Amino acid sequence: MKNNKNQYFPIPSLRENLRQRGNELTQRLSRSVGRLTSCDLLPCMEYGDEVAFQRSLAEELFYIQSCRNALERCIGNGGAAVRYRWSNGSTSFTRFRRTGPGQVKVSGL
């Protein structure tokens, strides 16, 4: 997820990109949660792997939603940042800065 390059986006396209990424993650999480563990009475011992996968999807979704929130704050205030601590202990720092009418500079996305 981490990219330290500065990128410039039109606000509408960045909004839509983040919305679509969040929606995709939500759909993947929903499919994962809805899966059957087993069709018989035997235990599904690998279900813990599925739960770990769901946790990673949810974590990425929270990061994307935090970025969407920061983008809206940036549009209103001229700039905003997200410092997101992942469950593995790493931290992502994503900065949004309005650079002109309808354009935003993003670093760390």
Side-chain angles (χ1 to χ4, degrees), residues 92-108:
S92 293
F93 187 73
T94 308
R95 184 174 305 184
F96 298 83
R97 175 76 52 204
R98 194 172 55 209
T99 58
Q103 189 170 2
V104 173
K105 177 175 100 172
V106 181
S107 56

Side-chain angles (χ1 to χ4, degrees), residues 19-47:
R19 186 192 69 79
Q20 286 178 359
R21 286 174 63 185
N23 191 41
E24 176 189 318
L25 288 165
T26 301
Q27 289 173 2
R28 290 175 63 195
L29 183 59
S30 178
R31 279 193 303 273
S32 179
V33 168
R35 286 182 61 188
L36 290 174
T37 55
S38 180
C39 293
D40 52 30
L41 295 179
L42 297 175
C44 182
M45 301 307 288
E46 61 275 358
Y47 193 68

Side-chain angles (χ1 to χ4, degrees), residues 79-93:
V82 173
R83 183 181 308 272
Y84 191 86
R85 178 173 285 270
W86 299 89
S87 61
N88 67 4
S90 67
T91 302
S92 293
F93 187 73

Side-chain angles (χ1 to χ4, degrees), residues 1-2 18 21-26 28-29 52-68 84-87 109:
M1 270 298 356
K2 201 171 182 182
L18 291 171
R21 286 174 63 185
N23 191 41
E24 176 189 318
L25 288 165
T26 301
R28 290 175 63 195
L29 183 59
F53 176 67
Q54 292 166 3
R55 182 183 309 267
S56 70
L57 289 175
E59 187 173 38
E60 187 175 352
L61 177 60
F62 290 138
Y63 169 71
I64 293 299
Q65 291 297 92
S66 296
C67 286
R68 289 181 73 186
Y84 191 86
R85 178 173 285 270
W86 299 89
S87 61
L109 184 64

